[in-house]
Amino acid sequence: MDPESKIPTVDTSNDASYGDAFTGQPVYQWDAFTPYSKNYNTATPWQVAKNGPITFFKTAQTNTNSLSLEKATEKSSLSLSYVNTLQSGILPNSELKKIN
């Protein structure tokens, strides 16, 4: 709580710590000061998020498929190749599809 204003808030300005403990106490969070927010001028419980980083991040994967055909005669040679790469990153909607 801010001792000067007597408005129950939490300190979110210090990145060197985990911040105030989640005890469920009602505080004015960031959206309580925005007039178009549904929580405007309303204290809401200070609690742990339902979905943390473990449910947000994914395991990155890379799949590569390749096909190569070669043919040669005494006078000429031919080589064809096809590579299909699919990569998915750790963030949702971060993927790369590449065809060579």
Side-chain angles (χ1 to χ4, degrees):
M1 178 177 349
D2 183 6
E4 294 178 12
S5 66
K6 305 294 186 213
I7 297 174
T9 59
V10 290
D11 181 17
T12 59
S13 64
N14 189 353
D15 288 339
S17 72
Y18 290 110
D20 293 345
F22 294 113
T23 59
Q25 73 272 29
V27 296
Y28 288 93
Q29 299 186 45
W30 64 272
D31 56 350
F33 302 99
T34 307
Y36 56 83
S37 170
K38 68 176 183 164
N39 292 326
Y40 178 65
N41 208 22
T42 304
T44 54
W46 183 244
Q47 59 192 10
V48 178
K50 292 180 179 120
N51 296 314
I54 296 202
T55 59
F56 179 75
F57 292 108
K58 303 184 314 182
T59 302
Q61 292 183 343
T62 300
N63 297 319
T64 303
N65 299 308
S66 63
L67 175 66
S68 178
L69 301 171
E70 296 179 11
K71 178 69 177 177
T73 65
E74 292 180 11
K75 296 183 178 182
S76 64
S77 64
L78 175 67
S79 175
L80 299 171
S81 65
Y82 172 84
V83 179
N84 179 15
T85 303
L86 175 62
Q87 292 180 327
S88 63
I90 61 171
L91 298 175
N93 299 321
S94 63
E95 66 179 23
L96 171 68
K97 294 179 183 178
K98 187 168 132 181
I99 299 174
N100 292 349

Coordinates of all heavy atoms in Angstrom, one line a residue:
M1 N 0.8 -1.2 0.0 CA 0.0 0.0 0.0 C 0.9 1.2 0.0 O 1.9 1.3 0.7 CB -0.9 0.0 1.2 CG -1.7 1.3 1.2 SD -3.0 1.6 2.5 CE -3.3 0.1 3.4
D2 N 0.5 2.2 -0.8 CA 1.2 3.5 -0.8 C 0.9 4.3 0.5 O -0.3 4.7 0.7 CB 0.8 4.3 -2.0 CG 1.5 5.6 -2.2 OD1 2.4 5.8 -1.4 OD2 1.1 6.3 -3.1
P3 N 1.8 4.5 1.4 CA 1.5 5.2 2.7 C 1.1 6.6 2.5 O 0.3 7.1 3.4 CB 2.9 5.1 3.4 CG 3.9 4.9 2.4 CD 3.2 4.2 1.2
E4 N 1.4 7.3 1.4 CA 1.0 8.7 1.3 C -0.4 8.9 0.8 O -1.1 9.7 1.3 CB 2.0 9.4 0.3 CG 3.4 9.5 0.9 CD 4.3 10.2 -0.1 OE1 3.9 10.7 -1.1 OE2 5.5 10.1 0.1
S5 N -0.8 8.0 -0.1 CA -2.2 8.2 -0.7 C -3.2 7.4 0.0 O -4.4 7.6 -0.2 CB -2.1 7.9 -2.2 OG -1.9 6.5 -2.3
K6 N -2.9 6.4 0.8 CA -3.8 5.5 1.5 C -4.6 4.7 0.5 O -5.6 4.1 0.8 CB -4.7 6.2 2.4 CG -4.0 7.1 3.5 CD -3.2 6.2 4.4 CE -2.6 7.1 5.5 NZ -1.4 6.6 6.0
I7 N -4.2 4.6 -0.8 CA -4.9 3.8 -1.8 C -4.1 2.5 -1.8 O -2.9 2.5 -2.0 CB -4.9 4.5 -3.2 CG1 -5.6 5.8 -3.1 CG2 -5.4 3.5 -4.2 CD1 -5.6 6.5 -4.4
P8 N -4.8 1.3 -1.6 CA -4.1 0.1 -1.7 C -3.6 -0.3 -3.1 O -4.4 -0.6 -4.0 CB -5.1 -1.0 -1.2 CG -6.4 -0.3 -1.4 CD -6.2 1.2 -1.4
T9 N -2.3 -0.2 -3.3 CA -1.7 -0.5 -4.6 C -0.5 -1.4 -4.3 O -0.1 -1.7 -3.1 CB -1.2 0.7 -5.3 OG1 -0.3 1.4 -4.5 CG2 -2.4 1.6 -5.7
V10 N 0.1 -2.0 -5.3 CA 1.3 -2.8 -5.2 C 2.4 -2.1 -6.0 O 2.2 -1.4 -7.0 CB 1.1 -4.2 -5.7 CG1 0.2 -5.0 -4.8 CG2 0.6 -4.3 -7.1
D11 N 3.7 -2.3 -5.5 CA 4.8 -1.7 -6.2 C 5.3 -2.6 -7.3 O 5.7 -3.7 -7.1 CB 6.0 -1.6 -5.2 CG 7.2 -1.0 -5.8 OD1 7.1 -0.3 -6.9 OD2 8.3 -1.0 -5.2
T12 N 5.1 -2.1 -8.5 CA 5.5 -2.9 -9.7 C 6.6 -2.2 -10.4 O 7.0 -2.6 -11.5 CB 4.3 -3.0 -10.7 OG1 3.9 -1.7 -11.1 CG2 3.1 -3.8 -10.1
S13 N 7.3 -1.3 -9.8 CA 8.4 -0.5 -10.4 C 9.7 -1.2 -10.2 O 10.7 -0.8 -10.9 CB 8.4 0.9 -9.9 OG 8.7 0.9 -8.5
N14 N 9.9 -2.1 -9.3 CA 11.2 -2.7 -9.0 C 11.3 -4.0 -9.6 O 10.7 -5.0 -9.3 CB 11.3 -2.8 -7.5 CG 12.7 -3.2 -7.1 OD1 13.6 -3.5 -7.9 ND2 13.0 -3.2 -5.8
D15 N 12.2 -4.1 -10.6 CA 12.4 -5.4 -11.3 C 13.4 -6.3 -10.6 O 13.6 -7.4 -11.1 CB 12.9 -5.1 -12.8 CG 11.9 -4.6 -13.7 OD1 10.7 -4.7 -13.4 OD2 12.2 -4.0 -14.7
A16 N 14.0 -5.9 -9.5 CA 15.0 -6.7 -8.8 C 14.4 -7.6 -7.8 O 15.1 -8.4 -7.2 CB 16.0 -5.7 -8.1
S17 N 13.0 -7.6 -7.7 CA 12.4 -8.6 -6.7 C 11.2 -9.2 -7.3 O 10.7 -8.7 -8.4 CB 12.1 -7.8 -5.4 OG 11.0 -7.0 -5.6
Y18 N 10.6 -10.1 -6.6 CA 9.3 -10.7 -7.1 C 8.1 -9.8 -6.8 O 7.0 -10.0 -7.3 CB 9.1 -12.0 -6.4 CG 10.1 -13.1 -6.9 CD1 11.1 -13.6 -6.1 CD2 10.0 -13.6 -8.2 CE1 12.0 -14.5 -6.6 CE2 10.9 -14.5 -8.7 CZ 11.9 -15.0 -7.8 OH 12.7 -16.0 -8.3
G19 N 8.3 -8.7 -6.0 CA 7.2 -7.8 -5.7 C 6.4 -8.2 -4.5 O 6.9 -9.1 -3.7
D20 N 5.3 -7.6 -4.3 CA 4.5 -7.9 -3.1 C 3.9 -9.3 -3.2 O 3.6 -9.8 -4.3 CB 3.4 -6.9 -3.0 CG 3.9 -5.5 -2.7 OD1 5.0 -5.3 -2.3 OD2 3.1 -4.5 -2.9
A21 N 3.8 -9.9 -2.0 CA 3.2 -11.3 -1.9 C 1.8 -11.3 -2.4 O 1.0 -10.4 -2.2 CB 3.3 -11.8 -0.5
F22 N 1.4 -12.4 -3.0 CA 0.0 -12.6 -3.5 C -0.8 -13.1 -2.3 O -0.8 -14.3 -2.0 CB -0.1 -13.6 -4.6 CG 0.6 -13.1 -5.9 CD1 1.7 -13.7 -6.4 CD2 0.0 -12.0 -6.6 CE1 2.3 -13.2 -7.6 CE2 0.6 -11.5 -7.8 CZ 1.8 -12.1 -8.2
T23 N -1.5 -12.3 -1.6 CA -2.3 -12.7 -0.5 C -3.8 -12.5 -0.7 O -4.6 -12.8 0.2 CB -1.9 -11.9 0.8 OG1 -2.1 -10.5 0.5 CG2 -0.4 -12.2 1.2
G24 N -4.2 -12.1 -1.9 CA -5.6 -11.9 -2.2 C -6.2 -10.6 -1.7 O -7.4 -10.4 -1.8
Q25 N -5.3 -9.7 -1.1 CA -5.8 -8.5 -0.6 C -6.3 -7.6 -1.8 O -5.8 -7.6 -2.8 CB -4.7 -7.7 0.2 CG -3.6 -7.1 -0.6 CD -2.4 -8.0 -0.9 OE1 -2.6 -9.2 -0.9 NE2 -1.3 -7.5 -1.1
P26 N -7.4 -6.8 -1.6 CA -7.9 -6.0 -2.6 C -7.0 -4.8 -2.9 O -6.6 -4.1 -1.9 CB -9.3 -5.5 -2.2 CG -9.2 -5.7 -0.7 CD -8.2 -6.8 -0.4
V27 N -6.5 -4.6 -4.1 CA -5.7 -3.5 -4.5 C -6.1 -2.9 -5.8 O -6.8 -3.5 -6.6 CB -4.2 -3.9 -4.6 CG1 -3.6 -4.4 -3.3 CG2 -4.0 -4.9 -5.7
Y28 N -5.8 -1.6 -6.0 CA -6.0 -1.0 -7.3 C -4.9 -1.3 -8.2 O -3.7 -0.9 -8.0 CB -6.1 0.6 -7.1 CG -7.4 1.0 -6.4 CD1 -7.4 1.2 -5.0 CD2 -8.5 1.2 -7.1 CE1 -8.6 1.5 -4.4 CE2 -9.7 1.6 -6.5 CZ -9.7 1.7 -5.1 OH -10.9 2.1 -4.5
Q29 N -5.2 -2.1 -9.2 CA -4.2 -2.6 -10.2 C -4.1 -1.6 -11.3 O -4.8 -0.6 -11.4 CB -4.5 -4.0 -10.6 CG -4.4 -4.9 -9.3 CD -4.5 -6.4 -9.7 OE1 -3.9 -6.9 -10.6 NE2 -5.4 -7.1 -8.9
W30 N -3.3 -1.9 -12.3 CA -3.1 -1.0 -13.5 C -4.4 -0.6 -14.2 O -4.5 0.5 -14.6 CB -2.1 -1.7 -14.5 CG -2.7 -2.9 -15.1 CD1 -2.5 -4.2 -14.6 CD2 -3.4 -3.0 -16.3 NE1 -3.2 -5.1 -15.4 CE2 -3.8 -4.4 -16.5 CE3 -3.9 -2.1 -17.2 CZ2 -4.5 -4.8 -17.6 CZ3 -4.6 -2.5 -18.3 CH2 -4.9 -3.9 -18.5
D31 N -5.3 -1.5 -14.3 CA -6.6 -1.2 -15.0 C -7.6 -0.4 -14.2 O -8.6 0.0 -14.7 CB -7.2 -2.5 -15.6 CG -7.5 -3.5 -14.5 OD1 -7.1 -3.4 -13.4 OD2 -8.2 -4.5 -14.9
A32 N -7.3 -0.2 -12.9 CA -8.2 0.6 -12.1 C -8.1 2.1 -12.3 O -8.9 2.9 -11.9 CB -8.0 0.3 -10.6
F33 N -7.1 2.5 -13.1 CA -6.8 3.9 -13.3 C -7.1 4.3 -14.8 O -6.9 5.4 -15.2 CB -5.4 4.3 -13.0 CG -5.0 3.9 -11.6 CD1 -4.3 2.7 -11.3 CD2 -5.4 4.7 -10.5 CE1 -4.0 2.4 -10.0 CE2 -5.1 4.4 -9.2 CZ -4.4 3.3 -8.9
T34 N -7.7 3.4 -15.6 CA -8.0 3.7 -16.9 C -9.5 3.8 -17.1 O -10.3 2.8 -16.8 CB -7.5 2.5 -17.8 OG1 -6.1 2.3 -17.6 CG2 -7.7 2.8 -19.3
P35 N -10.1 5.0 -17.4 CA -11.5 5.2 -17.4 C -12.3 4.2 -18.3 O -13.5 3.9 -17.9 CB -11.7 6.6 -18.0 CG -10.3 7.3 -17.7 CD -9.3 6.2 -17.8
Y36 N -11.8 3.7 -19.4 CA -12.6 2.8 -20.2 C -12.5 1.3 -19.8 O -13.0 0.4 -20.4 CB -12.2 2.9 -21.7 CG -10.7 2.7 -22.0 CD1 -10.2 1.5 -22.1 CD2 -9.8 3.8 -22.1 CE1 -8.8 1.3 -22.4 CE2 -8.5 3.7 -22.3 CZ -8.0 2.4 -22.5 OH -6.7 2.2 -22.7
S37 N -11.7 1.0 -18.7 CA -11.6 -0.3 -18.2 C -12.8 -0.8 -17.4 O -13.4 0.1 -16.7 CB -10.3 -0.5 -17.4 OG -10.3 -1.7 -16.7
K38 N -13.2 -2.0 -17.4 CA -14.3 -2.5 -16.6 C -14.0 -2.5 -15.1 O -14.8 -2.5 -14.3 CB -14.7 -3.9 -17.0 CG -13.6 -5.0 -16.7 CD -14.1 -6.4 -17.1 CE -13.1 -7.4 -16.7 NZ -13.6 -8.7 -16.6
N39 N -12.7 -2.4 -14.8 CA -12.2 -2.4 -13.4 C -11.9 -0.9 -12.9 O -11.2 -0.8 -11.9 CB -11.0 -3.3 -13.1 CG -11.4 -4.7 -13.3 OD1 -12.5 -5.1 -12.9 ND2 -10.5 -5.5 -13.7
Y40 N -12.3 0.1 -13.7 CA -12.0 1.4 -13.3 C -12.5 1.8 -11.9 O -13.6 1.5 -11.6 CB -12.6 2.4 -14.4 CG -12.4 3.8 -14.1 CD1 -11.1 4.4 -14.1 CD2 -13.4 4.7 -13.7 CE1 -10.8 5.7 -13.8 CE2 -13.2 6.0 -13.4 CZ -11.9 6.5 -13.5 OH -11.6 7.8 -13.2
N41 N -11.6 2.4 -11.1 CA -11.9 2.8 -9.8 C -12.4 1.7 -8.9 O -13.1 1.9 -7.9 CB -12.9 4.0 -9.8 CG -12.7 4.9 -8.6 OD1 -11.7 4.9 -8.0 ND2 -13.8 5.6 -8.3
T42 N -11.9 0.4 -9.1 CA -12.3 -0.7 -8.4 C -11.1 -1.5 -7.9 O -10.2 -1.8 -8.7 CB -13.2 -1.7 -9.2 OG1 -14.3 -0.9 -9.7 CG2 -13.7 -2.9 -8.4
A43 N -11.0 -1.8 -6.7 CA -9.9 -2.7 -6.1 C -10.3 -4.1 -6.4 O -11.4 -4.6 -6.2 CB -9.8 -2.5 -4.6
T44 N -9.3 -4.9 -7.0 CA -9.5 -6.3 -7.3 C -8.5 -7.1 -6.5 O -7.5 -6.6 -6.1 CB -9.3 -6.5 -8.8 OG1 -8.1 -6.0 -9.2 CG2 -10.4 -5.9 -9.6
P45 N -8.7 -8.4 -6.3 CA -7.8 -9.2 -5.5 C -6.4 -9.3 -6.1 O -6.3 -9.5 -7.3 CB -8.5 -10.6 -5.5 CG -9.9 -10.4 -5.9 CD -9.9 -9.1 -6.7
W46 N -5.4 -9.2 -5.3 CA -4.0 -9.4 -5.7 C -3.7 -10.8 -5.6 O -3.4 -11.3 -4.5 CB -3.1 -8.5 -4.8 CG -1.6 -8.5 -5.2 CD1 -0.6 -9.0 -4.5 CD2 -1.1 -8.1 -6.4 NE1 0.6 -8.9 -5.1 CE2 0.3 -8.3 -6.3 CE3 -1.5 -7.5 -7.6 CZ2 1.2 -8.0 -7.3 CZ3 -0.7 -7.2 -8.6 CH2 0.7 -7.4 -8.5
Q47 N -3.8 -11.6 -6.7 CA -3.6 -13.0 -6.6 C -2.8 -13.5 -7.8 O -2.6 -12.8 -8.8 CB -5.0 -13.7 -6.6 CG -5.8 -13.4 -7.8 CD -7.2 -13.8 -7.7 OE1 -7.7 -14.2 -6.6 NE2 -8.0 -13.8 -8.8
V48 N -2.3 -14.8 -7.7 CA -1.5 -15.4 -8.7 C -2.3 -15.6 -10.0 O -3.5 -15.9 -9.9 CB -1.0 -16.8 -8.2 CG1 -0.2 -17.5 -9.2 CG2 -0.2 -16.6 -6.9
A49 N -1.7 -15.4 -11.1 CA -2.4 -15.6 -12.4 C -2.8 -17.1 -12.6 O -2.1 -18.0 -12.1 CB -1.5 -15.2 -13.5
K50 N -3.9 -17.3 -13.2 CA -4.4 -18.7 -13.5 C -3.4 -19.4 -14.4 O -3.2 -20.6 -14.3 CB -5.8 -18.7 -14.0 CG -6.8 -18.2 -13.0 CD -8.2 -18.2 -13.5 CE -9.1 -17.7 -12.4 NZ -9.9 -16.6 -12.7
N51 N -2.9 -18.7 -15.4 CA -2.0 -19.3 -16.4 C -0.7 -18.6 -16.3 O -0.5 -17.5 -16.7 CB -2.6 -19.1 -17.8 CG -3.9 -19.9 -18.0 OD1 -4.0 -21.0 -17.6 ND2 -4.9 -19.2 -18.6
G52 N 0.3 -19.4 -15.9 CA 1.7 -18.8 -15.7 C 2.5 -19.1 -17.0 O 2.0 -19.6 -18.0
P53 N 3.8 -18.9 -16.9 CA 4.7 -19.1 -18.0 C 4.8 -20.5 -18.5 O 5.0 -20.8 -19.7 CB 6.1 -18.6 -17.5 CG 5.9 -18.3 -16.1 CD 4.5 -18.3 -15.7
I54 N 4.6 -21.5 -17.6 CA 4.6 -22.9 -18.0 C 3.5 -23.2 -19.0 O 3.7 -24.0 -19.9 CB 4.6 -23.8 -16.7 CG1 5.8 -23.5 -15.9 CG2 4.5 -25.2 -17.1 CD1 6.3 -24.5 -15.0
T55 N 2.4 -22.7 -18.8 CA 1.3 -22.9 -19.8 C 1.4 -22.1 -21.0 O 0.7 -22.4 -22.0 CB -0.1 -22.7 -19.1 OG1 -0.2 -21.3 -18.7 CG2 -0.3 -23.6 -17.9
F56 N 2.2 -21.0 -21.0 CA 2.3 -20.1 -22.1 C 3.4 -20.6 -23.1 O 3.1 -20.7 -24.3 CB 2.7 -18.7 -21.7 CG 2.8 -17.7 -22.8 CD1 1.8 -17.2 -23.5 CD2 4.1 -17.3 -23.2 CE1 1.9 -16.3 -24.5 CE2 4.3 -16.4 -24.2 CZ 3.2 -15.9 -24.9
F57 N 4.6 -20.9 -22.7 CA 5.6 -21.3 -23.5 C 5.5 -22.8 -24.0 O 4.9 -23.6 -23.3 CB 7.0 -21.2 -22.8 CG 7.4 -19.7 -22.6 CD1 7.3 -19.2 -21.3 CD2 7.7 -18.9 -23.7 CE1 7.7 -17.9 -21.1 CE2 8.0 -17.6 -23.4 CZ 8.0 -17.1 -22.2
K58 N 6.0 -23.1 -25.2 CA 5.9 -24.4 -25.8 C 7.3 -24.9 -26.0 O 8.3 -24.2 -26.0 CB 5.1 -24.4 -27.1 CG 3.7 -23.8 -27.0 CD 3.0 -23.9 -28.3 CE 3.7 -23.5 -29.5 NZ 3.0 -23.5 -30.8
T59 N 7.4 -26.2 -26.3 CA 8.7 -26.8 -26.7 C 8.9 -26.6 -28.1 O 8.1 -26.8 -29.0 CB 8.7 -28.3 -26.4 OG1 8.4 -28.5 -25.0 CG2 10.0 -29.0 -26.8
A60 N 10.1 -26.0 -28.5 CA 10.4 -25.7 -29.9 C 10.7 -27.0 -30.6 O 11.3 -28.0 -30.0 CB 11.6 -24.8 -29.9
Q61 N 10.3 -27.1 -31.9 CA 10.6 -28.3 -32.7 C 11.0 -27.8 -34.1 O 10.6 -26.8 -34.6 CB 9.3 -29.1 -32.8 CG 8.8 -29.7 -31.6 CD 7.6 -30.6 -31.8 OE1 6.9 -30.5 -32.8 NE2 7.3 -31.5 -30.9
T62 N 11.8 -28.7 -34.7 CA 12.3 -28.5 -36.1 C 12.1 -29.8 -36.8 O 12.7 -30.9 -36.4 CB 13.7 -28.0 -36.2 OG1 13.9 -26.8 -35.5 CG2 14.2 -27.8 -37.6
N63 N 11.4 -29.8 -37.9 CA 11.2 -31.0 -38.8 C 11.8 -30.7 -40.2 O 11.4 -29.7 -40.7 CB 9.8 -31.4 -38.9 CG 9.2 -31.8 -37.5 OD1 9.9 -32.5 -36.8 ND2 8.0 -31.4 -37.3
T64 N 12.6 -31.5 -40.7 CA 13.2 -31.3 -42.0 C 13.0 -32.6 -42.8 O 13.4 -33.7 -42.4 CB 14.7 -30.9 -41.9 OG1 14.8 -29.8 -41.1 CG2 15.2 -30.7 -43.3
N65 N 12.4 -32.5 -44.0 CA 12.3 -33.6 -44.9 C 13.0 -33.2 -46.2 O 12.8 -32.1 -46.7 CB 10.8 -33.9 -45.2 CG 10.0 -34.2 -44.0 OD1 10.4 -35.1 -43.3 ND2 8.9 -33.5 -43.8
S66 N 13.7 -34.2 -46.8 CA 14.4 -33.9 -48.0 C 14.4 -35.1 -49.0 O 14.3 -36.2 -48.6 CB 15.9 -33.5 -47.7 OG 16.6 -34.6 -47.2
L67 N 14.4 -34.7 -50.2 CA 14.4 -35.7 -51.3 C 15.4 -35.3 -52.4 O 15.4 -34.1 -52.7 CB 13.0 -35.8 -51.9 CG 12.8 -36.7 -53.1 CD1 13.0 -38.1 -52.8 CD2 11.4 -36.5 -53.7
S68 N 16.2 -36.2 -52.8 CA 17.2 -35.9 -53.8 C 17.2 -36.9 -54.9 O 17.2 -38.1 -54.6 CB 18.6 -35.8 -53.1 OG 19.6 -35.5 -54.0
L69 N 17.2 -36.5 -56.1 CA 17.3 -37.4 -57.3 C 18.5 -37.0 -58.1 O 18.7 -35.8 -58.4 CB 16.0 -37.3 -58.1 CG 14.7 -37.7 -57.4 CD1 13.6 -37.3 -58.3 CD2 14.7 -39.1 -57.0
E70 N 19.3 -38.0 -58.6 CA 20.5 -37.8 -59.4 C 20.5 -38.8 -60.5 O 20.2 -39.9 -60.3 CB 21.7 -37.8 -58.6 CG 21.8 -36.8 -57.5 CD 23.1 -36.9 -56.7 OE1 24.0 -37.7 -57.1 OE2 23.2 -36.3 -55.6
K71 N 20.9 -38.3 -61.7 CA 21.1 -39.2 -62.8 C 22.3 -38.6 -63.7 O 22.4 -37.4 -63.8 CB 19.8 -39.2 -63.7 CG 19.9 -40.0 -64.9 CD 19.9 -41.4 -64.6 CE 19.9 -42.2 -66.0 NZ 20.0 -43.6 -65.8
A72 N 23.1 -39.5 -64.1 CA 24.3 -39.1 -64.9 C 24.5 -40.0 -66.1 O 24.2 -41.2 -66.0 CB 25.5 -39.0 -64.0
T73 N 24.9 -39.5 -67.2 CA 25.4 -40.3 -68.3 C 26.8 -39.8 -68.6 O 27.4 -39.0 -67.9 CB 24.5 -40.0 -69.5 OG1 24.6 -38.6 -69.9 CG2 23.0 -40.3 -69.2
E74 N 27.3 -40.4 -69.7 CA 28.7 -40.0 -70.1 C 28.8 -38.5 -70.5 O 29.9 -37.9 -70.3 CB 29.2 -40.9 -71.2 CG 29.4 -42.3 -70.8 CD 29.9 -43.2 -71.9 OE1 30.3 -42.6 -73.0 OE2 29.9 -44.4 -71.7
K75 N 27.7 -38.0 -71.0 CA 27.8 -36.6 -71.5 C 27.1 -35.6 -70.6 O 27.3 -34.4 -70.8 CB 27.1 -36.6 -72.9 CG 27.9 -37.4 -73.9 CD 27.2 -37.2 -75.3 CE 28.0 -38.0 -76.3 NZ 27.4 -37.9 -77.6
S76 N 26.3 -36.0 -69.7 CA 25.5 -35.0 -68.9 C 25.2 -35.6 -67.5 O 25.3 -36.8 -67.3 CB 24.2 -34.6 -69.6 OG 23.4 -35.7 -69.7
S77 N 24.7 -34.7 -66.7 CA 24.2 -35.1 -65.4 C 23.1 -34.2 -64.9 O 23.0 -33.1 -65.4 CB 25.4 -35.1 -64.3 OG 25.8 -33.7 -64.2
L78 N 22.2 -34.8 -64.1 CA 21.0 -34.1 -63.6 C 20.9 -34.3 -62.1 O 21.0 -35.5 -61.7 CB 19.8 -34.6 -64.4 CG 18.4 -34.0 -63.9 CD1 18.4 -32.5 -64.2 CD2 17.3 -34.8 -64.6
S79 N 20.6 -33.3 -61.4 CA 20.4 -33.4 -60.0 C 19.2 -32.5 -59.6 O 19.1 -31.3 -59.9 CB 21.7 -32.9 -59.3 OG 21.5 -32.9 -57.9
L80 N 18.3 -33.1 -58.9 CA 17.1 -32.4 -58.4 C 17.0 -32.6 -56.9 O 17.3 -33.7 -56.4 CB 15.8 -32.9 -59.0 CG 15.6 -32.8 -60.5 CD1 14.4 -33.6 -61.0 CD2 15.5 -31.3 -60.9
S81 N 16.7 -31.6 -56.1 CA 16.5 -31.8 -54.7 C 15.3 -30.9 -54.2 O 15.0 -29.9 -54.8 CB 17.8 -31.4 -54.0 OG 18.0 -30.0 -54.1
Y82 N 14.7 -31.4 -53.1 CA 13.6 -30.7 -52.5 C 13.8 -30.9 -51.0 O 14.0 -31.9 -50.5 CB 12.3 -31.4 -52.9 CG 11.0 -31.0 -52.2 CD1 10.4 -29.8 -52.6 CD2 10.6 -31.7 -51.1 CE1 9.2 -29.4 -51.9 CE2 9.4 -31.2 -50.4 CZ 8.8 -30.1 -50.9 OH 7.7 -29.7 -50.2
V83 N 13.6 -29.7 -50.3 CA 13.8 -29.7 -48.8 C 12.6 -29.0 -48.3 O 12.2 -27.9 -48.7 CB 15.1 -29.0 -48.4 CG1 15.2 -29.0 -46.9 CG2 16.3 -29.7 -49.0
N84 N 11.9 -29.6 -47.3 CA 10.8 -29.0 -46.6 C 11.1 -28.9 -45.2 O 11.4 -29.8 -44.5 CB 9.5 -29.9 -46.8 CG 8.3 -29.3 -46.1 OD1 8.3 -28.2 -45.7 ND2 7.3 -30.2 -46.0
T85 N 11.1 -27.6 -44.6 CA 11.5 -27.4 -43.2 C 10.3 -26.7 -42.5 O 9.7 -25.8 -43.0 CB 12.7 -26.4 -43.1 OG1 13.8 -27.0 -43.9 CG2 13.1 -26.2 -41.7
L86 N 10.0 -27.3 -41.3 CA 8.9 -26.7 -40.5 C 9.5 -26.5 -39.1 O 9.9 -27.5 -38.5 CB 7.7 -27.6 -40.4 CG 6.6 -27.2 -39.5 CD1 6.0 -25.9 -39.9 CD2 5.5 -28.3 -39.5
Q87 N 9.5 -25.3 -38.6 CA 10.0 -25.0 -37.3 C 8.9 -24.3 -36.5 O 8.2 -23.4 -37.0 CB 11.2 -24.0 -37.4 CG 12.4 -24.6 -38.0 CD 13.6 -23.6 -38.0 OE1 13.4 -22.4 -38.2 NE2 14.8 -24.1 -37.9
S88 N 8.8 -24.7 -35.2 CA 7.8 -24.0 -34.3 C 8.7 -23.5 -33.1 O 9.5 -24.3 -32.6 CB 6.7 -24.9 -33.9 OG 7.2 -26.0 -33.2
G89 N 8.5 -22.3 -32.8 CA 9.2 -21.7 -31.7 C 8.6 -21.9 -30.3 O 7.6 -22.6 -30.2
I90 N 9.1 -21.2 -29.3 CA 8.6 -21.4 -27.9 C 7.4 -20.5 -27.7 O 6.7 -20.7 -26.7 CB 9.7 -21.1 -26.9 CG1 10.2 -19.7 -27.0 CG2 10.9 -22.1 -27.0 CD1 11.2 -19.3 -25.9
L91 N 7.2 -19.5 -28.5 CA 6.0 -18.6 -28.4 C 4.9 -19.1 -29.3 O 5.1 -19.6 -30.4 CB 6.4 -17.2 -28.7 CG 7.5 -16.6 -27.9 CD1 7.8 -15.2 -28.4 CD2 7.0 -16.5 -26.4
P92 N 3.6 -18.9 -28.8 CA 2.5 -19.3 -29.7 C 2.6 -18.5 -31.0 O 3.0 -17.3 -31.0 CB 1.3 -18.9 -28.8 CG 1.8 -18.8 -27.4 CD 3.2 -18.5 -27.5
N93 N 2.1 -19.1 -32.1 CA 2.1 -18.5 -33.4 C 3.5 -18.1 -33.9 O 3.6 -17.1 -34.7 CB 1.2 -17.2 -33.4 CG -0.2 -17.6 -33.1 OD1 -0.7 -18.6 -33.5 ND2 -0.9 -16.8 -32.3
S94 N 4.5 -18.7 -33.5 CA 5.9 -18.5 -34.0 C 6.3 -19.7 -34.7 O 6.8 -20.6 -34.1 CB 6.8 -18.1 -32.9 OG 7.0 -19.1 -32.0
E95 N 6.1 -19.7 -36.0 CA 6.5 -20.9 -36.8 C 7.1 -20.4 -38.1 O 6.8 -19.3 -38.6 CB 5.4 -21.9 -37.0 CG 4.3 -21.3 -37.9 CD 3.2 -22.4 -38.1 OE1 3.1 -23.3 -37.3 OE2 2.5 -22.3 -39.1
L96 N 7.9 -21.3 -38.7 CA 8.6 -21.0 -40.0 C 8.3 -22.2 -40.9 O 8.6 -23.3 -40.5 CB 10.0 -20.7 -39.8 CG 10.9 -20.6 -41.1 CD1 10.5 -19.4 -41.9 CD2 12.4 -20.7 -40.7
K97 N 7.8 -21.9 -42.1 CA 7.6 -23.0 -43.1 C 8.5 -22.6 -44.3 O 8.3 -21.5 -44.8 CB 6.2 -23.1 -43.5 CG 5.2 -23.6 -42.5 CD 3.8 -23.6 -42.9 CE 2.9 -24.1 -41.8 NZ 1.5 -24.1 -42.2
K98 N 9.4 -23.5 -44.7 CA 10.3 -23.1 -45.7 C 10.4 -24.3 -46.7 O 10.6 -25.4 -46.3 CB 11.7 -22.8 -45.1 CG 12.7 -22.3 -46.0 CD 13.8 -21.7 -45.1 CE 15.2 -22.2 -45.6 NZ 16.3 -21.7 -44.8
I99 N 10.4 -24.0 -48.0 CA 10.5 -25.0 -49.0 C 11.6 -24.6 -50.0 O 11.6 -23.5 -50.5 CB 9.2 -25.2 -49.8 CG1 8.1 -25.7 -48.9 CG2 9.4 -26.2 -51.0 CD1 6.8 -25.8 -49.6
N100 N 12.6 -25.4 -50.1 CA 13.8 -25.1 -51.1 C 13.7 -26.2 -52.2 O 13.5 -27.3 -52.0 CB 15.1 -25.2 -50.4 CG 15.3 -24.1 -49.4 OD1 14.5 -23.1 -49.3 ND2 16.3 -24.2 -48.6

